[in-house]
Each structure stands twice: as C-alpha cells, then as structure tokens.
Coordinates of all heavy atoms in Angstrom, one line a residue:
R1 N 31.9 71.8 -33.6 CA 31.9 70.4 -34.1 C 33.2 69.8 -33.9 O 33.4 68.6 -34.2 CB 31.4 70.4 -35.5 CG 29.9 70.9 -35.7 CD 29.6 71.2 -37.1 NE 30.4 72.3 -37.7 CZ 30.2 72.8 -38.9 NH1 29.2 72.3 -39.6 NH2 31.0 73.8 -39.3
D2 N 34.2 70.5 -33.6 CA 35.6 70.0 -33.4 C 36.3 70.6 -32.2 O 37.2 71.4 -32.4 CB 36.4 70.2 -34.7 CG 37.8 69.5 -34.7 OD1 37.9 68.6 -33.9 OD2 38.6 69.9 -35.4
L3 N 35.8 70.3 -31.1 CA 36.3 70.9 -29.8 C 37.6 70.3 -29.4 O 37.9 69.2 -29.6 CB 35.2 70.6 -28.7 CG 33.9 71.3 -28.9 CD1 32.9 70.9 -27.8 CD2 34.0 72.8 -28.9
P4 N 38.4 71.1 -28.7 CA 39.7 70.7 -28.2 C 39.6 69.8 -27.1 O 38.5 69.7 -26.4 CB 40.4 72.0 -27.8 CG 39.3 72.9 -27.4 CD 38.2 72.6 -28.4
A5 N 40.6 69.0 -26.8 CA 40.6 68.0 -25.7 C 40.3 68.6 -24.4 O 39.6 68.1 -23.5 CB 41.9 67.3 -25.6
E6 N 40.7 69.9 -24.1 CA 40.5 70.6 -22.9 C 39.0 70.7 -22.6 O 38.6 70.6 -21.4 CB 41.1 72.0 -22.9 CG 42.6 72.0 -22.9 CD 43.0 72.2 -24.4 OE1 42.4 71.6 -25.3 OE2 44.1 72.9 -24.6
I7 N 38.1 70.7 -23.6 CA 36.7 70.9 -23.4 C 36.1 69.5 -23.5 O 35.2 69.1 -22.7 CB 36.1 71.8 -24.5 CG1 36.5 73.2 -24.2 CG2 34.5 71.7 -24.4 CD1 36.1 74.3 -25.2
K8 N 36.5 68.6 -24.4 CA 36.0 67.3 -24.6 C 36.2 66.5 -23.4 O 35.4 65.6 -23.1 CB 36.7 66.6 -25.8 CG 36.2 67.0 -27.2 CD 36.8 66.1 -28.2 CE 36.2 66.5 -29.6 NZ 36.9 65.6 -30.6
N9 N 37.2 66.8 -22.6 CA 37.5 66.0 -21.3 C 36.7 66.5 -20.1 O 36.9 66.1 -19.0 CB 38.9 66.0 -21.1 CG 39.7 65.2 -22.1 OD1 39.2 64.3 -22.8 ND2 41.0 65.5 -22.2
K10 N 35.8 67.5 -20.4 CA 35.1 68.1 -19.2 C 33.6 67.9 -19.5 O 33.1 67.8 -20.6 CB 35.4 69.6 -19.1 CG 36.8 69.9 -18.7 CD 37.1 71.4 -18.7 CE 36.3 72.2 -17.7 NZ 36.7 73.6 -17.7
V11 N 32.9 68.0 -18.4 CA 31.4 68.1 -18.4 C 31.1 69.4 -17.6 O 31.8 69.8 -16.8 CB 30.6 66.9 -17.9 CG1 30.7 65.7 -18.8 CG2 31.1 66.6 -16.5
Y12 N 30.0 70.0 -18.0 CA 29.6 71.3 -17.4 C 28.3 71.3 -16.7 O 27.4 70.6 -17.1 CB 29.6 72.3 -18.5 CG 31.0 72.5 -19.2 CD1 31.4 71.7 -20.2 CD2 31.8 73.5 -18.8 CE1 32.6 71.8 -20.8 CE2 33.1 73.7 -19.4 CZ 33.5 72.8 -20.4 OH 34.7 73.0 -21.0
D13 N 28.2 72.2 -15.7 CA 26.9 72.4 -15.0 C 25.9 73.1 -15.8 O 24.7 72.8 -15.7 CB 27.2 73.1 -13.7 CG 28.2 72.4 -12.8 OD1 27.9 71.3 -12.3 OD2 29.3 72.9 -12.6
V14 N 26.4 74.0 -16.7 CA 25.5 74.8 -17.5 C 26.2 75.0 -18.8 O 27.3 75.5 -18.9 CB 25.1 76.2 -16.9 CG1 24.2 76.9 -17.9 CG2 24.4 76.0 -15.6
V15 N 25.5 74.6 -19.9 CA 26.0 74.8 -21.3 C 25.0 75.7 -21.9 O 23.8 75.4 -22.1 CB 26.2 73.6 -22.1 CG1 26.7 73.9 -23.5 CG2 27.1 72.6 -21.3
F16 N 25.4 77.0 -22.3 CA 24.4 77.9 -22.8 C 24.8 78.5 -24.1 O 26.0 78.4 -24.6 CB 24.3 79.2 -21.8 CG 25.6 79.9 -21.5 CD1 25.8 81.1 -22.0 CD2 26.5 79.3 -20.6 CE1 26.9 81.9 -21.7 CE2 27.7 80.1 -20.3 CZ 27.9 81.3 -20.8
M17 N 23.9 78.9 -24.9 CA 24.2 79.3 -26.3 C 23.0 80.2 -26.9 O 21.9 80.1 -26.5 CB 24.4 78.1 -27.2 CG 23.2 77.1 -27.3 SD 23.7 75.6 -28.1 CE 22.1 74.8 -28.3
N18 N 23.4 81.0 -27.9 CA 22.6 81.6 -28.8 C 22.9 81.2 -30.2 O 23.6 81.9 -30.9 CB 22.7 83.2 -28.5 CG 21.9 84.0 -29.5 OD1 21.0 83.5 -30.2 ND2 22.0 85.3 -29.4
P19 N 22.4 80.0 -30.6 CA 22.7 79.5 -31.9 C 22.1 80.4 -33.0 O 21.2 81.2 -32.8 CB 22.0 78.1 -31.9 CG 20.9 78.3 -31.0 CD 21.3 79.2 -29.9
P20 N 22.6 80.3 -34.2 CA 22.1 81.1 -35.4 C 20.5 81.0 -35.5 O 20.0 79.9 -35.4 CB 22.7 80.5 -36.6 CG 24.0 80.0 -36.1 CD 23.7 79.4 -34.7
F21 N 19.9 82.2 -35.5 CA 18.4 82.2 -35.5 C 17.9 81.6 -36.9 O 16.8 81.0 -36.8 CB 17.9 83.6 -35.4 CG 17.7 84.0 -34.0 CD1 18.4 83.6 -33.0 CD2 16.6 84.9 -33.7 CE1 18.2 83.9 -31.6 CE2 16.4 85.3 -32.4 CZ 17.1 84.8 -31.4
Y22 N 18.6 81.7 -37.9 CA 18.1 81.3 -39.2 C 18.9 80.0 -39.8 O 20.0 79.9 -39.6 CB 18.2 82.4 -40.2 CG 17.5 83.7 -39.7 CD1 18.3 84.8 -39.3 CD2 16.2 83.7 -39.5 CE1 17.7 85.9 -38.9 CE2 15.6 84.9 -39.0 CZ 16.4 86.0 -38.7 OH 15.8 87.1 -38.2
D23 N 18.2 79.1 -40.4 CA 18.7 77.9 -40.9 C 19.2 78.0 -42.3 O 19.6 77.0 -42.9 CB 17.8 76.7 -40.7 CG 16.5 76.9 -41.5 OD1 16.3 77.9 -42.3 OD2 15.5 76.1 -41.3
G24 N 19.0 79.2 -43.0 CA 19.4 79.3 -44.3 C 18.3 79.3 -45.3 O 18.4 79.8 -46.5
T25 N 17.1 78.8 -44.8 CA 15.9 78.8 -45.6 C 15.0 80.0 -45.2 O 14.1 80.3 -45.9 CB 15.1 77.5 -45.5 OG1 14.7 77.4 -44.1 CG2 16.0 76.3 -45.8
K26 N 15.3 80.6 -44.1 CA 14.6 81.8 -43.6 C 15.5 82.9 -43.3 O 16.6 82.7 -42.9 CB 13.7 81.4 -42.3 CG 12.7 80.4 -42.6 CD 11.9 80.1 -41.2 CE 10.9 79.0 -41.4 NZ 10.2 78.7 -40.2
G27 N 15.0 84.1 -43.4 CA 15.9 85.3 -43.2 C 16.8 85.5 -44.4 O 17.2 84.6 -45.0
S28 N 17.0 86.8 -44.7 CA 17.8 87.1 -45.9 C 19.2 87.2 -45.7 O 19.6 88.1 -44.9 CB 17.2 88.4 -46.6 OG 18.0 88.8 -47.7
V29 N 20.0 86.3 -46.3 CA 21.4 86.5 -46.1 C 22.0 87.7 -46.8 O 23.2 88.0 -46.7 CB 22.2 85.2 -46.6 CG1 21.8 84.0 -45.7 CG2 21.9 84.9 -48.1
T30 N 21.2 88.4 -47.6 CA 21.6 89.6 -48.2 C 21.1 90.8 -47.5 O 21.2 91.9 -48.0 CB 21.2 89.6 -49.7 OG1 19.7 89.5 -49.8 CG2 21.7 88.5 -50.5
D31 N 20.5 90.6 -46.4 CA 20.0 91.7 -45.5 C 21.0 92.8 -45.4 O 22.2 92.5 -44.9 CB 19.5 91.2 -44.2 CG 18.8 92.2 -43.3 OD1 19.0 93.4 -43.6 OD2 18.1 91.8 -42.5
A32 N 20.7 94.1 -45.7 CA 21.6 95.1 -45.6 C 22.2 95.4 -44.2 O 23.2 96.0 -44.0 CB 21.1 96.4 -46.2
S33 N 21.4 95.0 -43.2 CA 21.8 95.1 -41.8 C 23.0 94.2 -41.4 O 23.6 94.4 -40.4 CB 20.6 95.0 -40.8 OG 20.2 93.6 -40.9
V34 N 23.2 93.1 -42.2 CA 24.2 92.2 -41.9 C 25.5 92.7 -42.7 O 25.6 92.5 -43.9 CB 23.9 90.7 -42.4 CG1 25.1 89.8 -42.1 CG2 22.6 90.3 -41.7
K35 N 26.4 93.4 -41.9 CA 27.4 94.2 -42.6 C 28.7 93.4 -42.7 O 29.6 93.9 -43.4 CB 27.7 95.4 -41.7 CG 26.5 96.4 -41.5 CD 26.8 97.5 -40.7 CE 25.7 98.5 -40.6 NZ 24.5 98.0 -40.0
S36 N 28.8 92.1 -42.3 CA 30.1 91.5 -42.5 C 29.9 90.0 -42.5 O 28.9 89.5 -42.0 CB 31.1 91.8 -41.4 OG 30.6 91.3 -40.1
E37 N 30.9 89.3 -42.9 CA 30.9 87.8 -42.9 C 30.8 87.3 -41.5 O 30.2 86.3 -41.1 CB 32.1 87.2 -43.6 CG 32.0 87.3 -45.2 CD 30.9 86.6 -45.7 OE1 30.6 85.4 -45.3 OE2 30.1 87.1 -46.5
H38 N 31.5 88.0 -40.5 CA 31.5 87.7 -39.1 C 30.1 87.7 -38.6 O 29.7 86.7 -37.9 CB 32.4 88.6 -38.3 CG 33.8 88.7 -38.9 ND1 34.1 89.7 -39.8 CD2 34.9 87.9 -38.8 CE1 35.4 89.6 -40.1 NE2 35.9 88.5 -39.5
E39 N 29.3 88.8 -38.8 CA 28.0 88.9 -38.4 C 27.1 87.9 -39.0 O 26.2 87.3 -38.4 CB 27.5 90.3 -38.6 CG 26.1 90.5 -37.9 CD 25.7 92.0 -37.9 OE1 26.5 92.8 -38.4 OE2 24.6 92.3 -37.5
K40 N 27.3 87.6 -40.3 CA 26.5 86.6 -41.0 C 26.6 85.3 -40.4 O 25.7 84.5 -40.2 CB 27.0 86.6 -42.5 CG 26.2 85.5 -43.3 CD 26.8 85.5 -44.8 CE 26.2 84.3 -45.6 NZ 26.8 84.2 -46.9
S41 N 27.9 84.8 -40.1 CA 28.0 83.5 -39.4 C 27.4 83.4 -38.1 O 27.0 82.3 -37.7 CB 29.5 83.2 -39.3 OG 30.1 84.0 -38.3
A42 N 27.1 84.5 -37.4 CA 26.5 84.5 -36.1 C 24.9 84.4 -36.3 O 24.3 83.9 -35.3 CB 26.8 85.8 -35.3
R43 N 24.4 84.8 -37.4 CA 23.0 84.9 -37.6 C 22.4 83.7 -38.4 O 21.3 83.3 -38.3 CB 22.5 86.2 -38.2 CG 22.7 87.4 -37.3 CD 22.3 88.7 -37.9 NE 20.9 88.6 -38.4 CZ 20.3 89.7 -39.0 NH1 20.9 90.8 -39.1 NH2 19.1 89.5 -39.4
F44 N 23.3 83.2 -39.4 CA 22.8 82.1 -40.2 C 23.7 80.9 -40.0 O 24.9 80.9 -39.8 CB 22.9 82.7 -41.7 CG 22.1 83.8 -42.0 CD1 22.6 85.1 -41.9 CD2 20.7 83.6 -42.3 CE1 21.7 86.2 -42.1 CE2 19.9 84.7 -42.6 CZ 20.4 86.0 -42.5
A45 N 23.0 79.7 -40.2 CA 23.6 78.4 -39.9 C 24.5 77.8 -41.0 O 24.2 76.8 -41.5 CB 22.6 77.4 -39.5
D46 N 25.4 78.6 -41.5 CA 26.3 78.1 -42.5 C 27.6 77.4 -42.0 O 28.4 76.9 -42.7 CB 26.6 79.2 -43.5 CG 27.4 80.3 -42.9 OD1 27.4 80.5 -41.7 OD2 28.0 81.2 -43.7

C-alpha cells in the first residue's frame, strides 16, 4: 500500500500474487500449524 517510487513509476506486463487466503473472519488465526507471525501475515489479511 506504500510502494517506492521505483515501482510506482513503472507499469508491468504481468502482476502476479498469492494474497492472504483468509480475511480474518475465516480460518483460525490460532491454528497450531501457523508457527510464526511471519507465516500468519502471509495467510491472514491483517
């Protein structure tokens, strides 16, 4: 949401992503398989 000028000044042929699967209302943020804050941020949209 706050990209640097090097990216803001460009347009791309392909923009790809694997956004967080869960919006915070689905999926358990206390799931034991989520072992770290780093992994949590990848799976949940906080």
Side-chain angles (χ1 to χ4, degrees):
R1 297 165 294 186
D2 187 22
L3 296 172
E6 295 95 323
I7 293 178
K8 282 185 176 180
N9 291 336
K10 293 172 67 174
V11 289
Y12 295 83
D13 301 294
V14 178
V15 181
F16 59 105
M17 61 187 187
N18 179 0
F21 268 34
Y22 306 112
D23 62 6
T25 64
K26 296 179 181 179
S28 174
V29 295
T30 59
D31 188 336
S33 68
V34 181
K35 298 180 175 64
S36 70
E37 286 299 313
H38 307 94
E39 190 173 353
K40 177 182 172 183
S41 70
R43 290 180 57 179
F44 298 94
D46 60 344

